[in-house]
Amino acid sequence: MTTIRQRRVGKGTEAAEDQPSEETNVKPDGKILPGPPGGKLWSILSVTVGGIVAISLGLLTSVYVATLHENDLWFSNIKEVEREISFRTECGLYYSYYKQMIQAASIQQGIVNCKQYLEPVYFYIYTLFGLQAVYVIALYVTSWLLSGTWLSGLLAACWYITNRVDTTRVEFTIPLRENWALPFFAVQIAAITYLLRAHLQPAQERLTLMAVFIATFLFSLTWQFNQFMMLIQALALFILDCLDMLPTAKVTWLYIIQISGLLLVCVLQFFNSMILGSLLISFNVSVLIARTIQKNLKKGGLLNRLGKLILHVLLVLCLTLLINKFIKKILNLESDEHIFKFLKAKFGFGATRDFDANLYLCEEAFGLLPLNTFSRLSSTLLFYVYGFVLFLLTVAAVIVAFRNLSGSNQVHLKDKMEEYTVTLKPDAAYSLVHTVLFGCLALSTMRMKYLWTSHMCVFASFGLCSTEVWKLILKCLHLYTSQRTQVIKYSIPIITLLYISFKFWPGIMDELSELREFYDPDTVELMNWIKSNTPNTAVFAGSMQLLAGVKLCTGRTLTNHPHYEDKNLRERTKQIYQIYAKRAPGEVFGILRSFGTDYVILEDSICYERRHSRGCRLRDLLDVANGHIMDGLGENEPDLKPSLYPRFCEEIKKNLPSYTTHFTRVFQNKTFHVYKLAKHK
């Protein structure tokens, strides 16, 4: 049940923006006669224009990122192998499955035979760039729904585009799973925003719930981190429900949709055990159970309700941990243990020598959000406006939450008291808590900033175009009139749009005219050699990132790849990476042969890595995990010992008998060294 008290229609009360209410005449018997049709026509015209602007901006964004991708690589002019190599690291792995699908005879003869109209690689990348149009339209619609004016959506889209460096990376990491998923997440948020509106008809509510379910399902299907993102979303719903700021029935439906969407994905992914053991399912089930145990949670005075809330939160947390532990114990699940080890070490709950956790800890993408992010966001005025709106709505939310918990949200007897009542609509309350929680996530983990910055555009534009925000400000300054509110809520966003246009349009044009070309001759040479000089059944070992490209460009079998959500695959990768550790040649040979390896690829960029500092180089992580001291000057933990053997990737190049017995070099260039393993009986 919504906790925001609706004000009586009277002096100083306005209709929804861009959909002005019709003039009405009230008969003595209380019946309302419809006013002139002009209001309805204006509303239809406004919605039509707003919709056209939304679609146009979405398509322009799609064309914009596609052009940047073309200009950066000269994609249309390079060879197929170069196009495939441009899908770096895990991007190549994801694209390889699409390539494998379209090359299958049954698919070619069936539904995906698009070669006669468009090259398969273009069908793939244009689909992803097209999803960017969906993304921008969803952000636009969310802001429009929150503020009531499509001008807010226009501002949100413009901020998304001008802050492209911090809102998306689709143009240079096209096949990443997040680029498939985030547009559906934005659609889900737009649908939730509409669902939280008051006075929806039953048919409207059912259709909106269906839209939320479809978007949730598609989001969950396309990204491995879906359960953690939706857990944060569930926490936002839980907080607002506890503070009586959202309708409980709608929150319950959203919990059920999250669970059912994940379970459906679990079935479609051949019963992915990581989903069954997710904290999200345990948390949502715990909330639903706790509600049935605790009755009258939202009744009583302030202290009484606070006591009930504390008990409710503790009950939910305990149930979540118990249910999650029980599920993992019964199903013997360990798929996500590396994530919890990473989180434990990241937030200072003890150091770890776990190789997988340290692999995440040492990556810049999983570090803290750099401070220069805020200077870039401030240059477009986005961060300034965001901070201003965040402060105002946080104050309003605290006041409303206190009023709800203290039970003082009864109708006042005097209009004078009505005039100064602070309100916060359910959809705005959800948007506030959503942006706060995802902001905390982004600050702690840079890779997750794209979830925050895109919603930042929505939240800031909504606040700048919101009647409620400006009404609150003007009332505090004793300057409030309805006309003054309308003038400010339209004039300031328009001035902001003009500032953004004049400042950033020349830079966007320069960016679109800048031409570069893909150039990676060493990798091209390696892929061509593999295709020409090794059998189709050959098995290759090497780094996860490189092997993804090997699979894509050559179709050869791999020992490991970047899909890191499987415990057995993580352990296999750690074993394969002993080629960069201090191990005996016989030991390394035994490990590689145990996985059926025919060829191993060594990379100088890993063996002699300088990108990371000491302690975070891959060879350092392996040394520590193996109990060996690290190379170079610096401290080592006291229990680490010197290795009895030199580093394998360095020593093998000396062609010593102990190495040539097992390995024969068959390819070499400035970057890569390929060795064929002996076929010992």
Side-chain angles (χ1 to χ4, degrees):
M1 179 174 69
T2 180
T3 64
I4 294 107
R5 183 163 51 81
Q6 300 294 324
R7 291 185 54 185
R8 296 194 297 272
V9 177
K11 184 177 179 180
T13 303
E14 295 80 39
E17 272 29 86
D18 276 8
Q19 298 183 24
S21 58
E22 300 176 6
E23 296 287 337
T24 58
N25 298 311
V26 183
K27 295 176 67 177
D29 61 0
K31 292 183 179 179
I32 299 177
L33 299 175
K40 182 176 288 187
L41 289 174
W42 173 254
S43 178
I44 293 172
L45 177 63
S46 178
V47 170
T48 303
V49 172
I52 292 172
V53 172
I55 294 171
S56 300
L57 279 171
L59 293 175
L60 282 173
T61 304
S62 179
V63 172
Y64 174 52
V65 293
T67 304
L68 289 176
H69 175 257
E70 168 64 25
N71 290 355
D72 189 50
L73 299 174
W74 202 4
F75 201 74
S76 60
N77 192 62
I78 58 179
K79 299 174 182 177
E80 182 180 3
V81 66
E82 293 174 312
R83 290 176 178 175
E84 292 174 348
I85 292 170
S86 72
F87 298 140
R88 301 287 186 180
T89 64
E90 67 262 42
C91 297
L93 177 69
Y94 307 145
Y95 180 76
S96 71
Y97 294 114
Y98 165 77
K99 180 181 176 182
Q100 182 177 334
M101 182 184 71
I102 62 170
Q103 289 180 343
S106 59
I107 296 295
Q108 285 182 330
Q109 296 166 4
I111 60 173
V112 193
N113 189 13
C114 61
K115 291 184 179 180
Q116 55 184 319
Y117 307 108
L118 190 68
E119 289 183 71
V121 67
Y122 276 105
F123 176 80
Y124 184 88
I125 66 173
Y126 285 168
T127 299
L128 270 158
F129 291 145
L131 280 176
Q132 281 295 296
V134 174
Y135 197 2
V136 171
I137 292 170
L139 298 176
Y140 181 108
V141 170
T142 304
S143 187
W144 186 358
L145 289 170
L146 287 167
S147 67
T149 170
W150 59 260
L151 181 63
S152 174
L154 174 60
L155 184 56
C158 289
W159 264 330
Y160 178 85
I161 295 168
T162 52
N163 291 281
R164 176 184 56 80
V165 172
D166 294 300
T167 55
T168 183
R169 51 178 178 166
V170 67
E171 76 274 13
F172 62 90
T173 57
I174 298 174
L176 274 188
R177 286 177 280 185
E178 68 187 54
N179 294 328
W180 291 97
L182 293 186
F184 298 120
F185 192 51
V187 170
Q188 186 227 40
I189 294 169
I192 290 175
T193 302
Y194 185 77
L195 177 69
L196 295 177
R197 285 187 155 194
H199 312 304
L200 288 183
Q201 298 296 323
Q204 290 176 312
E205 191 167 312
R206 285 194 295 270
L207 287 173
T208 308
L209 285 169
M210 180 60 69
V212 174
F213 173 76
I214 293 172
T216 301
F217 165 70
L218 292 173
F219 170 66
S220 303
L221 188 65
T222 48
W223 198 20
Q224 77 275 28
F225 291 130
N226 61 76
Q227 53 174 298
F228 303 105
M229 302 308 107
M230 290 199 294
L231 177 62
I232 293 174
Q233 191 176 56
L235 285 172
L237 296 170
F238 178 71
I239 291 168
L240 291 167
D241 186 34
C242 287
L243 298 176
D244 206 14
M245 298 175 75
L246 291 184
T248 299
K250 292 181 179 180
V251 172
T252 302
W253 273 113
L254 292 174
Y255 286 144
I256 294 171
I257 284 173
Q258 286 187 330
I259 294 172
S260 55
L262 269 187
L263 291 178
L264 181 56
V265 169
C266 177
V267 172
L268 292 177
Q269 292 184 347
F270 307 99
F271 296 94
N272 184 345
S273 61
M274 188 175 176
I275 293 176
L276 294 175
S278 68
L279 276 175
L280 174 66
I281 291 179
S282 303
F283 177 79
N284 286 7
V285 170
S286 300
V287 173
L288 297 176
I289 292 173
R291 276 193 192 162
T292 61
I293 295 174
Q294 283 185 287
K295 304 293 184 183
N296 302 322
L297 191 63
K298 298 184 179 180
K299 293 182 180 179
L302 177 61
L303 293 178
N304 188 11
R305 288 195 63 176
L306 282 175
K308 290 180 180 178
L309 270 183
I310 293 171
L311 183 62
H312 183 64
V313 170
L314 291 175
L315 179 60
V316 169
L317 289 177
C318 292
L319 281 174
T320 299
L321 295 175
L322 285 173
I323 292 173
N324 191 256
K325 192 75 173 176
F326 176 76
I327 292 173
K328 288 185 174 179
K329 189 74 174 177
I330 293 297
L331 300 178
N332 193 27
L333 303 180
E334 297 176 313
S335 300
D336 56 358
E337 64 175 8
H338 65 298
I339 296 176
F340 293 105
K341 288 179 181 177
F342 159 71
L343 292 174
K344 182 180 176 181
K346 182 178 177 65
F347 294 110
F349 296 105
T352 179
R353 290 186 181 177
D354 183 77
F355 174 76
D356 303 314
N358 284 326
L359 207 56
Y360 280 109
L361 284 169
C362 286
E363 281 301 319
E364 184 183 5
F366 291 93
L368 300 177
L369 188 68
L371 292 177
N372 60 7
T373 306
F374 301 105
S375 62
R376 289 194 300 269
L377 295 173
S378 299
S379 67
T380 63
L381 303 182
L382 172 59
F383 190 66
Y384 295 131
V385 175
Y386 174 79
F388 173 69
V389 176
L390 182 64
F391 172 76
L392 285 175
L393 292 189
T394 301
V395 172
V398 170
I399 293 171
V400 171
F402 178 79
R403 191 173 67 225
N404 293 342
L405 292 175
S406 60
S408 61
N409 58 338
Q410 306 300 320
V411 176
H412 292 291
L413 298 175
K414 295 182 180 180
D415 286 338
K416 190 74 175 175
M417 296 178 72
E418 279 280 306
E419 194 67 24
Y420 292 96
T421 301
V422 175
T423 61
L424 191 65
K425 295 185 295 184
D427 53 1
Y430 170 75
S431 187
L432 171 65
V433 179
H434 178 102
T435 196
V436 169
L437 293 183
F438 278 96
C440 294
L441 177 66
L443 291 172
S444 65
T445 308
M446 186 184 75
R447 184 176 176 181
M448 301 304 170
K449 72 175 180 178
Y450 302 103
L451 290 151
W452 182 44
T453 50
S454 58
H455 193 266
M456 186 188 290
C457 300
V458 171
F459 190 78
S461 61
F462 142 64
L464 210 59
C465 299
S466 169
T467 300
E468 289 77 12
V469 169
W470 289 114
K471 185 191 295 185
L472 178 63
I473 294 170
L474 292 175
K475 282 183 177 180
C476 290
L477 299 174
H478 302 287
L479 296 173
Y480 172 72
T481 65
S482 176
Q483 294 79 9
R484 189 173 288 149
T485 303
Q486 295 299 309
V487 170
I488 292 176
K489 68 165 282 187
Y490 286 112
S491 60
I492 291 185
I494 290 172
I495 292 170
T496 305
L497 281 168
L498 290 174
Y499 168 81
I500 293 172
S501 301
F502 281 114
K503 182 174 181 180
F504 292 97
W505 182 258
I508 290 174
M509 290 298 100
D510 290 342
E511 191 177 35
L512 290 173
S513 63
E514 187 176 348
L515 303 178
R516 289 186 286 270
E517 183 178 357
F518 174 84
Y519 184 75
D520 188 356
D522 289 350
T523 308
V524 171
E525 183 185 14
L526 172 66
M527 299 305 172
N528 287 334
W529 181 88
I530 291 174
K531 285 194 288 187
S532 303
N533 296 278
T534 64
N536 293 335
T537 56
V539 179
F540 279 80
S543 70
M544 294 184 290
Q545 296 82 358
L546 179 63
L547 290 185
V550 170
K551 174 176 170 55
L552 170 58
C553 298
T554 71
R556 300 303 189 262
T557 303
L558 313 178
T559 56
N560 56 306
H561 58 67
H563 186 74
Y564 220 57
E565 283 74 52
D566 180 81
K567 184 183 180 182
N568 292 329
L569 190 55
R570 291 197 301 271
E571 184 58 35
R572 174 181 288 216
T573 297
K574 180 183 175 182
Q575 291 300 312
I576 295 294
Y577 276 9
Q578 298 304 311
I579 58 179
Y580 295 109
K582 299 172 182 176
R583 299 290 292 269
E587 291 178 331
V588 175
F589 176 80
I591 291 170
L592 294 175
R593 287 304 298 165
S594 70
F595 297 121
T597 307
D598 297 312
Y599 297 87
V600 59
I601 307 174
L602 296 173
E603 301 169 64
D604 286 346
S605 59
I606 297 178
C607 192
Y608 307 108
E609 181 188 358
R610 293 191 181 95
R611 185 169 68 94
H612 291 102
S613 60
R614 184 179 185 270
C616 268
R617 300 169 297 188
L618 179 62
R619 62 180 187 266
D620 297 334
L621 302 183
L622 290 164
D623 288 343
V624 171
N626 292 339
H628 299 152
I629 61 172
M630 296 180 286
D631 292 339
L633 298 175
E635 295 182 358
N636 290 282
E637 293 186 33
D639 60 329
L640 296 179
K641 307 295 182 184
S643 173
L644 298 176
Y645 303 97
R647 193 166 304 282
F648 177 85
C649 63
E650 296 176 356
E651 202 70 9
I652 192 175
K653 296 170 187 175
K654 298 178 181 179
N655 292 324
L656 299 175
S658 57
Y659 289 84
T660 55
T661 302
H662 306 296
F663 303 95
T664 303
R665 184 162 57 198
V666 290
F667 174 84
Q668 176 184 3
N669 63 20
K670 291 184 294 183
T671 306
F672 304 106
H673 304 262
V674 181
Y675 292 86
K676 184 176 181 179
L677 275 69
K679 298 286 186 180
H680 295 321
K681 293 183 181 180

